[in-house]
Amino acid sequence: MANVIRRQTPAARLGRGLLYGVLILAALFYILPLVVMLMTSVKPLSEISPGSLLSFPQNPTLAPWTKAWGEACTGMRCDGVGGYFWNSFAIVIPAVLISTTIGALNGYALTKWRFKGSELVFALMLFGCFIPFQVVLLPMAQTLGWLGISSSRAGLILVHVVFGIAFTTLFFRNFYVGIPNELVSAAKLDGAGFFRIFWRILLPVSAPIIVVSVIWQFTQIWNDFLFGVAFSAHNTQPVTVALNNLVNTSTGVREYNVDMAAAMIAALPTLVVYVLAGKYFVRGLTAGSVKG
């Protein structure tokens, strides 16, 4: 009871109010660039000047968004990011599904079906998380050429799957370490095999770490620029490359409202994913962070 009374004192309420005030100011500080981008994207070009960065639009318009969406690039000129927006989805969705599935199977095998050299295999895969992407550009380009899928969506999907497996394996391995081995042993005694144990026992309890893997991979692949610009052609470029082309191929007066609208379009999917599933991402990371 004394603790309850102390928490209700004016000093405690003042301290809580100050804490919330600091948190709100910090949130406003970090969200300010997004607000500026949004306001600029709905301003007519005549309202954009160096001194009007934080001013509200007087005559808001969606014309910059329409122009930013535009059409596909022709030659060296890019008229919008719309077509490449769907390119990114065509690359991200299969890459996320494949890398998450393989990572789950790897994590399961490395924890519940240990074999000779499994720790070495895991160490090598973990090492893959620290390899700079720039180091592998040339050998990866040669590999894609040998496979006949260079400058294609399939090639980009393969690149992202290869680099995503190291991270997803780490996530699932750390999560599955905390699941009792007795469950797997009992299933083996009942005659269950590798895939049946995974499907019936491991997968139903894997929702938190699956969310972590999907959000992590979705964000990394969607925001990727290096692989997109190195391993794609004009008609297979992701939205990040199209955004760069749009901003850097403008002629005449710089249309900042169109550039901001295009940046908002490119960032929208990751914003939606974090708004809808951000709390599950934190829970999933916490679930696997103290295991293994």
Side-chain angles (χ1 to χ4, degrees):
M1 181 64 70
N3 290 335
V4 174
I5 294 175
R6 273 198 298 271
R7 284 198 295 269
Q8 294 177 347
T9 60
R13 288 196 296 269
L14 178 61
R16 190 179 301 112
L18 290 174
L19 175 61
Y20 280 117
V22 171
L23 292 175
I24 291 172
L25 287 176
L28 291 175
F29 176 79
Y30 280 103
I31 205 173
L32 184 60
L34 182 63
V35 173
V36 171
M37 289 177 60
L38 183 59
M39 291 194 303
T40 304
S41 70
V42 295
K43 287 180 181 178
L45 194 58
S46 58
E47 292 185 18
I48 300 175
S49 62
S52 64
L53 190 64
L54 296 177
S55 63
F56 288 96
Q58 302 300 314
N59 300 291
T61 175
L62 293 178
W65 285 73
T66 303
K67 188 171 183 178
W69 184 260
E71 298 178 355
C73 293
T74 55
M76 295 300 294
R77 180 173 177 77
C78 185
D79 297 319
V81 298
Y84 304 103
F85 187 85
W86 304 118
N87 268 352
S88 286
F89 272 112
I91 295 167
V92 167
I93 292 176
V96 169
L97 293 178
I98 295 171
S99 60
T100 299
T101 301
I102 296 176
L105 289 171
N106 286 345
Y108 164 51
L110 291 171
T111 54
K112 306 307 177 187
W113 291 75
R114 298 200 176 196
F115 51 89
K116 185 176 181 180
S118 60
E119 293 300 325
L120 176 61
V121 171
F122 176 67
L124 291 174
M125 298 192 71
L126 186 62
F127 178 73
C129 297
F130 303 98
I131 298 177
F133 291 166
Q134 293 83 352
V135 174
V136 299
L137 288 181
L138 182 57
M140 184 62 73
Q142 292 176 330
T143 302
L144 296 180
W146 293 334
L147 295 174
I149 54 175
S150 59
S151 301
S152 67
R153 290 177 185 166
L156 272 175
I157 291 171
L158 176 61
V159 171
H160 288 300
V161 168
V162 169
F163 279 92
I165 287 175
F167 291 98
T168 55
T169 298
L170 174 63
F171 293 151
F172 281 96
R173 186 262 183 191
N174 287 348
F175 185 81
Y176 288 154
V177 162
I179 296 177
N181 292 329
E182 289 77 11
L183 292 176
V184 176
S185 299
K188 289 179 181 179
L189 290 175
D190 291 337
F194 181 89
F195 289 104
R196 187 170 185 181
I197 293 174
F198 176 73
W199 184 261
R200 296 283 186 175
I201 298 177
L202 274 296
L203 198 59
V205 299
S206 301
I209 204 64
I210 289 175
V211 171
V212 170
S213 178
V214 167
I215 294 178
W216 175 272
Q217 281 293 89
F218 184 94
T219 304
Q220 296 299 311
I221 298 172
W222 186 275
N223 291 334
D224 169 69
F225 176 78
L226 180 63
F227 290 152
V229 75
F231 301 129
S232 66
H234 285 297
N235 59 338
T236 60
Q237 290 173 342
V239 68
T240 50
V241 178
L243 175 61
N244 176 74
N245 293 342
L246 175 67
V247 172
N248 291 321
T249 57
S250 299
T251 58
V253 179
R254 174 73 74 177
E255 294 180 303
Y256 292 104
N257 50 355
V258 176
D259 295 345
M260 293 298 180
M264 291 293 297
I265 291 172
L268 191 59
T270 51
L271 290 174
V272 171
V273 165
Y274 270 107
V275 168
L276 296 180
K279 62 180 180 180
Y280 302 106
F281 181 78
V282 176
R283 290 177 186 174
L285 281 179
T286 305
S289 62
V290 295
K291 298 173 183 177

